[in-house]
């Protein structure tokens, strides 16, 4: 082994060993030349599972999916050039969805930067403000100081990625040829590693009093839980709500609608009853407590906007500013559990919460009455009621997440719902779901045709690694959500710019990626296809033909019916 | 029309009118909500041709292709969020390939930024240092001052995009709801526009003397022309070389190997004879003059590296630093034409250039002798000799561009060769070729299976707009280039990390996107498929099955044969 190879090997092995010793155990690699030593060392590592994913955009979302499911950082590796730029959408999603990613990009050494060398771009600060930390690593050198530096950088970046809010970190590695490390010998000496302990925020000793006053003076509070709750936060908030007698309006992505934490007092039909019309003065809250990110529901957002003079506490684990309505009054940066433990006090009366529960139940009864016809909504409801215990459902943006918000009713099973709600893109959805599927016994992806098209490349890794995923493509041949927006009235240009029919037959994609495929047009076909998928390994694509116009009409009919019935009931 | 709608309409119409009045006439739009007014106004504009492309990554490369072919800026429009991040690979390619792009991203207004609002990310400086200018536009307002500001920003950005080096410019538009403009009335009043005149660099009066001395003291100069020559630069350099008696080593992407500028003195087999062995001392130049970016050929790069003490003039039209070998001595920022006009002087003797021409011819004769067997090289040679006059050939990175470098011999036809050689990515290649096809009577894409896979989504726009493109997919089931690199010896991990076989049948992709498809395994099949493609409109995919190992052997055999024969000849 020559000196160059020794330096290269020791330096990168130390870096990787440090990550591995701190529990990082999965890496997603895209093929390339400059990244060769990183790719070889990771693949050679006995305790790191590696995936190879050719399309870097898909690769990054795939890693994001694994990291979301594991709640642990995942390594990404690619070569120099635009390869690294293909990570950008997933890096941004990771930032806003608070998912830890360790992005390792190979780069040309300094003498080949910005001189017109092939496949060399300016990779410093490539992801701008969208990573929590970006470091241009030193060139591989020998000596203990440099190895210590490599280990420090690794553990430091890792620590930052899991500090609240979690997020992506970028390591840029300039590397000189030749690029082959020496894989003989004992490269990974677990045990010598540094450790980082990420403490969590709690309220300081002098911070409780004012908040206590706000909370204790009010009996008509509502709790809103959005995406991104921590697992122990879920139990703490459920207990807190029950004790205080405050209803919990739980977004499907809060993962409070399903689970063993107890779902009494969980309000899950608010999107419909808030949309259906103003709720009476007697249900106006005098306090709002929000956990997590903003909920998906637009009616809820508008309801909050209308509550101008009501104190609104926004509790986030890190320094996120989660206040799109601008109605926040008290911003608390502390773990949900610490907040709840501090302020839980048994309420004396249950009238307030009972009102919410009654309206919620009535709404759901009415929805059952009117949902009859087969369509997107019905399909989503079917899916959510049919899938086995412990399933993960990954939901695409645009229409699917709204349908799930409407039709996923609380239960004591353990169904978890996930989506890319950091930046709400329709990109990378297939790959994120596949990433999650690696960590779950049963994973479903609910997705529209545009989002499915956008990341069809993601399917390759599904076939390659025999991943189990059932994809339900709601094919309404275009952008369904626009039919709900004012654009729908722009007759002349609507189909061209917003409807955007693609006229694709996804059976071809299924054939290319070796997926089981079925096309369904009725409820019984759909149930049959779901049953078959449950018993089958690998990729399964169920294409549900849907009609954009009819879907809008079905939704409108439901809102109108609920509105009429509830308002009728209120008057009587 | 209410006041908000009036402001929105007038402001954006003025911006677009300004671009149109300055000759911008194509736009590529990806569907989205926040970008609605931009999309509607562009589509409504009578003199702007619009394309709708769902996948923003493909959309941006498609626009890049149009802009490359037209040598004019093209507009890109997308909505807020990760949509804009999907443009990043093409934006970076545009920067390094010097292609003007006008990137228009819609954004949330200020009150919805960084507050957890849906589909809102920090879009300021989204593309970092990779755009020539980034501006966060003002919110739409009324009044002449604001309209003048919108027009100034438009023409200023446009001007920057076509200043040397050409490149991308980013306009970020914060927009408030409602987002529908009023399309009645006369919105585009061409004639009131501002104008920008981008002057070109010439040598200052006092800059000639020293350069003249360097040039006149030397008779054994060689000229190297890389990618990115200007059309009038090609003629000027061809004339300059002929007059000086300097051979011109022309990269295929210089577009000097084919055309009416005269190809005597054009050396096109240097990649082979430089690779085949050291050329004799009697062919050592005493002067190197480089135009354009660095050539593709690695043997040429190594040859230049060996010429430590030879003056090397690097002429670029803008302030690009094109010196990956670090051997440059004189950097001239001036248009090729001005440089050549200034220093052209008739040479007295032709010995020097004749030596180069003889070696070049002999090499090509030897290559003809040994190329016999069917394989990737032979297919590329077939293609280049068969395609009709005026064809554009878009060549993917990795192996295809190297094969074209080897086998595209100079001729007086008008075949133009293009590639994404800014950052040399394998991303977006299909879309770039489709973009170019919109401007050319006959376009071919030569591409490997990995790159084809990477941008299969790009094909959708081909079908939608009935674009004519013949795609030759060299399917060697993986990353062929790695077989030439030291990684090939890493037995255990090679196939997994570098070979990366995908086992895809592209006939499924052809079926999905309505392309004519043929699978060829012999030369006669290939010629037959090319003939059929020539007579057929639309997308045509010719899949050439290739063998990675055999391809390496064929290349090695050729280099060895040429080396042996030339060295034998030298000794005799």
């Amino acid at each position: 082994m020559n000196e160059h190879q020794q330096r290269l090997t020791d330096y990168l092995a130390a870096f990787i060993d440090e990550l591995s010793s701190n529990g990082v155990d999965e890496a997603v690699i895209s093929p390339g030349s400059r990244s060769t030593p990183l790719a070889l060392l990771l693949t050679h590592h006995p305790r790191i599972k590696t995936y190879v994913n050719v399309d870097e955009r898909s690769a990054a979302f795939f890693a994001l999916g694994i990291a979301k499911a594991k709640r642990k950082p995942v390594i990404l590796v690619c070569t120099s050039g635009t390869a690294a730029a293909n990570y950008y959408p997933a890096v941004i999603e990771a930032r806003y969805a608070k998912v830890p990613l360790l992005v390792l990009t190979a780069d040309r050494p300094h003498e080949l930067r910005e001189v017109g060398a092939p496949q060399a771009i300016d990779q410093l600060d490539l992801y701008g403000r969208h990573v929590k930390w970006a470091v241009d690593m030193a060139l591989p050198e020998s000596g203990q100081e440099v190895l210590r530096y490599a280990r420090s950088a690794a553990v430091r970046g890792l620590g930052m990625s899991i500090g609240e809010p979690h997020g992506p970190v970028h390591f840029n590695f300039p590397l000189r040829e030749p690029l082959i490390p020496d894989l003989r010998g004992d490269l990974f000496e677990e045990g010598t590693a540094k450790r980082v302990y990420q403490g969590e925020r709690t309220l300081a000793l002098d911070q409780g009093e004012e908040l206590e006053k706000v909370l204790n003076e009010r009996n008509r509070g509502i709790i809103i839980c959005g995406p991104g709750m921590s697992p122990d936060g879920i139990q703490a908030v459920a207990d807190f709500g029950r004790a205080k007698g405050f209803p919990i309006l739980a977004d499907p992505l809060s993962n409070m609608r399903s689970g063993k934490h107890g779902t009494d007092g969980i309000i899950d039909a608010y999107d419909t009853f808030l949309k259906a019309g103003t709720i009476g003065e007697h249900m106006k809250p005098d306090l709002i407590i929000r956990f997590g990110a903003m909920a998906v529901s637009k009616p809820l957002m508008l309801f909050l906007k209308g509550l101008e003079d009501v104190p609104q506490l926004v509790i986030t684990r890190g320094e996120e500013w989660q206040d799109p309505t601008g109605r926040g009054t008290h911003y608390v940066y502390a773990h949900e559990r610490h907040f709840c433990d501090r302020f839980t006090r048994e309420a004396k009366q249950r009238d307030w919460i009972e009102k919410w529960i009654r309206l919620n139940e009535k709404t759901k009864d009415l929805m059952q009455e009117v949902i009859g016809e087969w369509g997107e909504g019905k399909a989503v409801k079917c899916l959510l009621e049919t899938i086995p215990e412990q399933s993960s459902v990954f939901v695409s943006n645009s229409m699917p997440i709204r349908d799930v918000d409407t039709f996923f009713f609380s239960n004591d099973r353990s169904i978890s719902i996930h989506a890319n709600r950091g930046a709400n893109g329709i990109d990378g959805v297939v790959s994120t779901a596949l990433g999650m599927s690696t960590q779950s016994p049963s994973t479903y992806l609910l997705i529209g045709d545009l989002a499915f098209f956008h990341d069809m490349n993601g399917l390759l890794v599904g076939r390659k690694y025999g991943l189990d995923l059932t994809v339900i493509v709601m094919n309404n041949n275009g952008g369904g959500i626009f039919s709900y927006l004012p654009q729908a009235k722009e007759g002349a240009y609507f189909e061209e710019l917003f409807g955007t029919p693609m006229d694709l037959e996804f059976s071809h994609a299924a054939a290319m990626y070796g997926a089981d495929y079925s096309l369904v047009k009725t409820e019984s076909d759909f149930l049959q296809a779901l049953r078959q998928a449950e018993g089958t390994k690998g990729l399964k694509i169920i294409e549900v033909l849907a009609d954009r116009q009819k879907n809008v009409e079905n939704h409108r009919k439901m809102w109108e019916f609920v509105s009429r019935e509830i308002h009728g009931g209120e008057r009587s």
Side-chain angles (χ1 to χ4, degrees), chain A:
Chain A
M1 173 150 76
N2 63 37
E3 211 182 308
H4 169 87
Q5 196 181 26
Q6 178 90 54
R7 276 198 302 266
L8 181 75
T9 307
D10 291 349
Y11 179 76
L12 296 179
F15 181 88
I16 290 167
D17 183 52
E18 190 65 33
L19 294 180
S20 156
S21 303
N22 276 280
V24 178
D25 55 4
E26 308 223 22
V28 181
I29 299 169
S30 295
S33 178
R34 190 61 48 172
S35 50
T36 293
L38 288 164
L40 281 171
L41 284 164
L42 284 165
T43 307
H44 188 62
H45 195 292
R47 286 172 304 279
I48 295 182
K49 181 167 173 54
T50 54
Y51 295 90
V52 174
N53 200 325
V54 170
D55 182 337
E56 294 84 3
R57 180 173 66 178
S58 300
F61 277 106
F62 183 68
L64 177 89
I66 302 175
K68 268 173 107 92
K70 289 176 85 112
R71 308 183 70 87
K72 255 173 69 170
V74 171
I75 296 170
L76 267 169
V77 173
C78 72
T79 190
S80 65
T82 50
N86 278 279
Y87 283 171
Y88 206 16
V91 164
I92 293 175
E93 174 62 23
R95 173 191 174 184
Y96 289 101
K98 298 147 205 156
V99 180
L101 283 182
L102 307 172
V103 182
L104 278 52
T105 56
D107 195 1
R108 307 264 144 167
H110 300 68
E111 64 275 16
L112 292 180
R113 289 177 174 178
E114 297 290 287
V115 293
Q119 211 179 316
I121 66 166
D122 182 359
Q123 296 183 186
L124 273 57
D125 297 319
L126 188 68
Y127 307 114
R129 294 186 289 269
H130 293 289
V131 284
K132 295 190 71 182
W133 191 44
V135 56
D136 187 42
M137 295 291 289
L139 279 157
E141 281 183 61
S142 53
Q144 282 309 311
E145 278 306 321
V146 172
L147 297 184
R148 204 171 286 123
Y149 155 79
R151 286 183 179 272
S152 286
V155 77
R156 180 176 173 187
L158 173 69
M160 294 185 85
S161 79
I162 54 168
E164 293 285 359
H166 296 193
V169 159
H170 178 204
F171 300 93
N172 191 53
F173 281 95
L175 297 168
R176 280 210 189 93
E177 293 179 11
L179 297 160
I180 311 288
D182 187 333
L183 300 180
R184 295 164 305 179
D186 190 13
L187 296 173
F188 307 107
E189 29 173 318
E190 199 162 343
T192 65
K194 300 160 183 286
R195 290 281 176 272
V196 62
Y197 298 88
Q198 263 291 3
E200 57 187 28
R201 290 173 210 231
T202 184
L203 285 160
L205 288 175
D206 60 351
Q207 283 174 335
E209 232 169 278
E210 201 190 2
L211 286 171
E212 190 124 40
K213 207 163 151 240
V214 174
L215 279 156
N216 290 345
E217 280 171 1
R218 290 165 178 84
N219 297 316
R220 296 151 56 94
I222 61 172
I223 295 168
I224 296 169
C225 291
M229 304 283 293
S230 69
D232 48 347
I234 287 176
Q235 186 64 58
V237 173
D239 293 343
F240 174 72
R242 259 192 301 273
K244 299 285 290 181
F246 289 171
I248 298 175
L249 282 62
D251 186 87
L253 297 169
S254 69
N255 282 314
M256 294 196 68
R257 289 197 196 172
S258 179
K260 311 298 180 203
H261 49 273
T263 51
D264 49 311
I266 299 285
I267 306 297
D268 48 14
Y270 57 87
D271 183 71
T272 302
F273 67 70
L274 290 173
K275 174 108 191 171
T278 51
I279 61 172
E281 195 59 27
H282 64 293
M283 287 185 69
K284 195 183 159 190
D286 62 1
L287 174 67
I288 296 152
I289 307 173
R290 286 184 41 225
F291 296 95
M294 183 46 88
V296 168
S297 168
K298 193 154 187 179
L300 177 58
M301 176 98 95
L302 295 173
F303 174 65
L304 289 180
K305 272 197 164 179
L307 300 170
E308 290 273 3
D309 49 348
V310 180
Q312 183 175 135
L313 279 55
V314 184
I315 293 102
T316 57
R317 293 191 299 280
E319 270 175 59
E320 309 102 291
W321 194 259
Q322 295 288 356
D323 191 17
T325 64
R327 302 291 187 273
T329 54
H330 300 70
Y331 304 92
V332 183
Y333 301 146
H335 195 286
E336 302 101 334
R337 187 166 31 75
H338 293 295
F339 177 90
C340 293
D341 287 356
R342 177 78 168 254
F343 298 114
T344 295
R345 184 184 296 189
E346 210 64 41
K348 291 175 198 73
Q349 47 83 24
R350 299 268 306 164
D351 288 8
W352 169 246
I353 192 168
E354 291 299 343
K355 270 189 234 175
W356 282 84
I357 292 172
R358 271 199 308 278
L359 177 59
N360 196 56
E361 291 306 314
K362 180 163 184 189
T363 303
K364 289 200 280 189
D365 289 346
L366 293 169
M367 289 169 76
Q368 296 283 13
E369 270 183 61
V370 82
I371 181 72
E373 217 172 335
W374 174 245
E376 290 184 32
K378 188 70 181 272
V380 170
K381 196 160 171 293
C382 267
L383 172 72
L384 295 167
E385 289 170 359
T386 312
I387 52 177
E389 181 71 2
Q390 297 288 343
S391 290
S392 289
V393 184
F394 198 86
V395 188
S396 179
N397 286 308
S398 258
M399 280 316 295
I401 187 63
R402 288 177 172 81
D403 280 331
V404 168
D405 196 9
T406 307
F407 294 111
F408 186 49
F409 297 141
S410 57
N411 58 73
D412 59 1
R413 302 165 72 207
S414 291
I415 307 293
S416 64
I417 310 278
H418 308 272
N420 281 342
R421 287 304 282 187
N424 301 9
I426 61 161
D427 43 355
V429 177
V430 172
S431 294
T432 316
L434 281 165
M436 296 208 79
S437 81
T438 64
Q439 311 295 320
S440 158
S442 164
T443 310
Y444 292 80
L445 166 61
L446 183 66
I447 190 168
D449 52 314
L450 285 179
F452 182 68
F453 163 75
H454 213 290
D455 190 25
M456 263 192 301
N457 275 6
L459 294 170
L460 182 62
V461 88
R463 192 192 61 177
K464 186 176 162 74
Y465 295 99
L467 304 180
D468 298 323
L469 178 72
T470 303
V471 185
I472 294 105
V473 185
M474 293 287 178
N475 190 350
N476 55 26
N477 201 18
I481 200 165
F482 295 110
S483 301
Y484 294 80
L485 301 177
Q487 284 88 328
K489 294 188 198 116
E490 294 301 305
Y493 302 123
F494 179 75
E495 275 300 294
E496 171 65 7
L497 287 175
F498 304 102
T500 56
M502 297 189 295
D503 302 314
L504 288 179
E505 286 180 27
F506 291 124
S507 54
H508 296 302
M512 184 151 51
Y513 297 109
D516 261 29
Y517 173 81
S518 46
L519 181 71
V520 306
K521 294 174 186 170
T522 65
E523 184 172 351
S524 63
D525 284 358
F526 184 50
L527 289 170
Q528 166 66 21
L530 284 176
R531 264 194 303 275
Q532 192 183 318
E534 223 184 292
T536 317
K537 288 274 168 204
L539 288 175
K540 294 138 289 186
I541 298 175
I542 302 173
E543 185 172 347
V544 180
L545 286 190
D547 183 288
R548 277 185 258 145
Q549 199 44 47
K550 206 166 135 197
N551 195 37
V552 178
E553 283 161 20
N554 282 348
H555 274 81
R556 293 235 162 91
K557 215 154 71 182
M558 189 183 72
W559 293 324
E560 279 161 21
F561 178 73
V562 172
S563 172
R564 207 166 46 236
E565 290 298 312
I566 287 181
H567 284 210
E570 302 257 307
R571 273 195 300 276
S572 69

